[in-house]
């Protein structure tokens, strides 16, 4: 079983100057600046050493589209080389690379052309994917994109992420286009024998009986709508919390104030398996807190339900904790601490938290199984 952690390029690499987010951070339309983050772009060797020492055998990271194509038609070969080196080093350390091709941020030039709201822009994404395939990156698992429904909701319905729109029509357009983007990318990668999926932001429900119809609608649109339409080899579940389908208000725990509900993960895994009969990978699961003991409890209590699902015969092929290291939490900047590892903003020195050893114990138990 694959046990490890997950991150995304924009959140950990630092200095992704060619991305739309960077532009809006400077412009003042976003509340925080990502800046250098934990500079994983330069500190990846150190980070891989830590992963290895913790016995993790998987690492999910993303390739930053805007680094590969900083401007239209201009390929940055150095960046490709960087990701190739990163993957090679992971392999050398027997850590399975799980590569996300797109995690929220876009090159600014691609954004200017209308991003994924315009179907014809898909061709640019395809050339990017082609370059990555041709680079011969030594990975087995690829994720075409991260949380398409959440991306469309935050950017086109709630107006919280670029392009800050609140338009149900644009929201729908983006989702329809993203199914197409996923399916084309899927087919391109399948020709080369990769195992391919995407991740889904999925939610549990602790609902009072009276909320049943709201629960049904919310569950269908947020959890299953996209999955029922797009192509994939395994179900990628990003799970953090339960939501209230009536008020959507959170009264919860930790720095995000989320409703922690481990049983919700069991519901999602079993429903995903009964619907699709495909393996499941927990591509994200995490807790932001300054209380590291709470984080350990979070991991243990969620993993209990994964074990329960496996006992029932469901193939859960991986568990990736979000996140390896504290990072840029989008509109919350650096105020949220999801990491198993923290870092010193000045020296970039890493400190492994005790909760990392909770995951290590799980990794030790499941290695080779
Ligand atoms: C996203 C991550 C984010 C995490 C915690 C997930 O939905 O993929 O980028 O940091 O949630 O909020």
């Amino acid at each position: 079983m694959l046990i490890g952690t997950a991150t995304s390029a924009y959140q950990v690499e630092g200095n992704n100057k060619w991305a739309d987010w960077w532009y809006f951070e400077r412009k003042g339309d976003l509340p925080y600046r990502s800046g250098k983050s934990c500079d994983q772009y330069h500190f990846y060797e150190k980070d891989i050493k830590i992963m290895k020492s913790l016995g993790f055998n998987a690492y999910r990271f993303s390739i930053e589209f805007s680094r590969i194509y900083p401007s239209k038609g201009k390929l940055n070969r150095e960046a490709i080389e960087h990701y190739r080196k990163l993957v090679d080093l992971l392999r050398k350390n027997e850590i399975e690379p799980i590569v996300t091709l797109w995690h929220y941020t876009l090159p600014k030039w691609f954004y200017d052309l209308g991003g994924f709201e315009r179907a014809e822009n898909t061709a640019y994404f395809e050339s990017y994917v082609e370059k990555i395939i041709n680079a011969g990156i030594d990975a087995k698992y690829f994720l075409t994109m991260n949380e398409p429904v959440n991306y469309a909701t935050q950017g086109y319905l709630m107006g919280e992420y670029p392009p800050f729109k609140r338009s149900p029509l644009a929201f729908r357009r983006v989702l329809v286009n993203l199914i197409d983007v996923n399916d084309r990318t899927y087919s391109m990668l399948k020709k080369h024998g990769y195992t391919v999926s995407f991740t889904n932001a999925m939610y549990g429900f602790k609902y009072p009986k009276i909320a049943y119809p709201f629960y049904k609608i919310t569950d269908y649109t947020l959890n299953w709508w996209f999955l029922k339409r797009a192509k994939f080899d395994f179900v990628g579940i990003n799970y953090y919390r339960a939501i209230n389908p009536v008020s959507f208000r959170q009264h919860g725990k930790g720095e995000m104030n989320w409703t922690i509900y481990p049983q919700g993960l069991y519901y999602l895994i079993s429903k995903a398996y009964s619907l699709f009969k495909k393996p499941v990978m927990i591509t994200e699961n995490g807790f932001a807190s300054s209380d590291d003991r709470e984080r350990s409890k979070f991991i243990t209590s969620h993993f209990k339900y994964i074990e329960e699902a496996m006992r029932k015969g469901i193939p859960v092929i991986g568990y990736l904790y979000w996140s390896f290291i504290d990072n840029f939490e989008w509109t919350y900047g650096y105020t949220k601490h999801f990491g198993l590892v923290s870092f010193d903003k000045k020296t970039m020195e890493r400190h492994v938290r005790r909760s990392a050893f909770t995951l290590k114990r799980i990794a030790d138990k499941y290695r080779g199984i």
Side-chain angles (χ1 to χ4, degrees), residues 262 266 299-309 311 362:
Y266 181 77
I299 296 172
T300 322
S301 58
H302 284 76
F303 205 82
K304 210 178 83 189
Y305 283 99
I306 294 175
E307 287 179 321
E308 175 74 21
R311 262 198 301 277
I362 296 176

Side-chain angles (χ1 to χ4, degrees), residues 256-296:
M256 301 298 282
N257 207 19
W258 282 346
T259 307
I260 304 306
Y261 187 55
Q263 297 92 313
L265 183 55
Y266 181 77
Y267 157 73
L268 293 167
I269 296 174
S270 39
K271 181 154 174 183
Y273 190 64
S274 74
L275 283 174
F276 307 110
K277 293 280 177 293
K278 288 187 180 177
V280 173
M281 189 191 288
I282 311 308
T283 37
E284 284 180 34
N285 174 235
F287 185 60
S289 178
S290 51
D291 182 344
D292 196 43
R293 265 178 309 187
E294 288 290 324
R295 193 187 336 276
S296 280

Side-chain angles (χ1 to χ4, degrees), residues 30-286:
L30 285 163
Y32 292 97
R33 290 187 177 197
S34 49
K36 280 205 281 189
S37 188
C38 60
D39 197 9
Q40 193 176 74
Y41 198 78
H42 297 105
F43 283 79
Y44 69 93
E45 290 171 336
K46 264 209 172 115
D47 288 348
I48 292 175
K49 214 179 224 171
I50 297 174
M51 290 173 206
K52 179 75 182 169
S53 74
L54 289 168
F56 301 161
N57 65 358
Y59 181 47
R60 174 182 165 220
F61 65 93
S62 74
I63 296 183
E64 177 65 28
F65 182 13
S66 70
R67 263 191 204 273
I68 304 293
Y69 275 109
S71 49
K72 194 173 153 200
K74 192 175 158 250
L75 182 69
N76 176 359
R77 290 189 192 280
E78 243 177 70
I80 295 200
E81 206 36 47
H82 164 81
Y83 292 111
R84 208 209 327 257
K85 278 203 263 179
L86 170 69
V87 167
D88 287 351
L89 195 62
L90 287 167
R91 278 256 172 271
K92 231 190 229 160
N93 286 279
E94 294 168 315
I95 300 172
E96 186 71 47
I98 299 166
V99 187
T100 314
L101 287 166
W102 168 53
H103 195 123
Y104 290 170
T105 50
L106 297 173
K108 172 65 170 44
W109 61 265
F110 183 84
Y111 171 92
D112 289 338
L113 292 173
F116 290 116
E117 206 181 329
R118 294 175 69 110
E120 57 271 38
N121 290 344
T122 306
Y124 296 109
F125 190 75
E126 282 180 273
S127 353
Y128 155 66
V129 175
E130 198 180 276
K131 288 290 177 293
I132 301 299
I133 292 175
N134 292 343
I137 285 181
D138 187 16
K140 172 178 175 204
Y141 295 99
F142 273 93
L143 297 163
T144 60
M145 59 183 69
N146 183 66
E147 303 185 341
V149 179
N150 195 36
Y151 171 80
T153 307
Q154 300 283 5
Y156 293 86
L157 205 57
M158 311 293 286
E160 304 252 328
Y161 292 2
F164 311 104
K165 289 195 181 174
R166 288 169 187 235
S167 154
L169 282 178
F171 168 73
R172 210 194 135 73
R173 243 190 329 268
V174 170
L175 277 180
V176 169
N177 289 342
L178 288 181
I179 293 173
D180 188 49
V181 172
N182 174 75
D183 290 0
R184 283 164 184 264
T185 311
Y186 176 91
S187 308
M188 289 170 77
L189 290 160
K190 287 314 285 178
K191 276 192 200 130
H192 296 264
Y194 297 113
T195 303
V196 189
S197 190
F198 50 91
T199 73
N200 299 275
M202 300 183 94
Y203 306 90
F205 295 95
K206 267 167 104 177
Y207 57 93
K209 278 272 171 297
I210 194 166
Y212 191 73
F214 295 99
Y215 148 70
K216 284 302 256 187
I217 297 167
T218 317
D219 184 38
Y220 178 72
T221 42
L222 295 185
N223 289 338
W224 311 105
W225 186 89
F226 198 92
L227 268 166
K228 286 192 173 180
R229 287 163 177 77
K231 292 183 182 160
F232 57 89
D233 295 332
F234 60 89
V235 184
I237 298 182
N238 289 359
Y239 180 70
Y240 291 85
R241 59 183 164 134
I243 51 173
N244 179 330
V246 181
S247 72
F248 285 96
R249 266 211 211 110
Q250 290 289 313
H251 303 283
K253 279 189 162 183
E255 294 169 338
M256 301 298 282
N257 207 19
W258 282 346
T259 307
I260 304 306
Y261 187 55
Q263 297 92 313
L265 183 55
Y266 181 77
Y267 157 73
L268 293 167
I269 296 174
S270 39
K271 181 154 174 183
Y273 190 64
S274 74
L275 283 174
F276 307 110
K277 293 280 177 293
K278 288 187 180 177
V280 173
M281 189 191 288
I282 311 308
T283 37
E284 284 180 34
N285 174 235

Side-chain angles (χ1 to χ4, degrees), residues 356-368:
F357 294 92
T358 302
L359 190 59
K360 180 180 190 303
R361 279 190 289 278
I362 296 176
D364 290 344
K365 182 170 166 194
Y366 282 93
R367 189 166 315 113

Side-chain angles (χ1 to χ4, degrees), residues 316-332:
V316 183
I317 56 174
Y319 174 84
L320 305 168
Y321 176 83
W322 182 278
S323 170
F324 171 68
I325 189 162
D326 287 342
N327 60 58
F328 181 68
E329 180 52 31
W330 306 115
T331 48
Y332 298 100

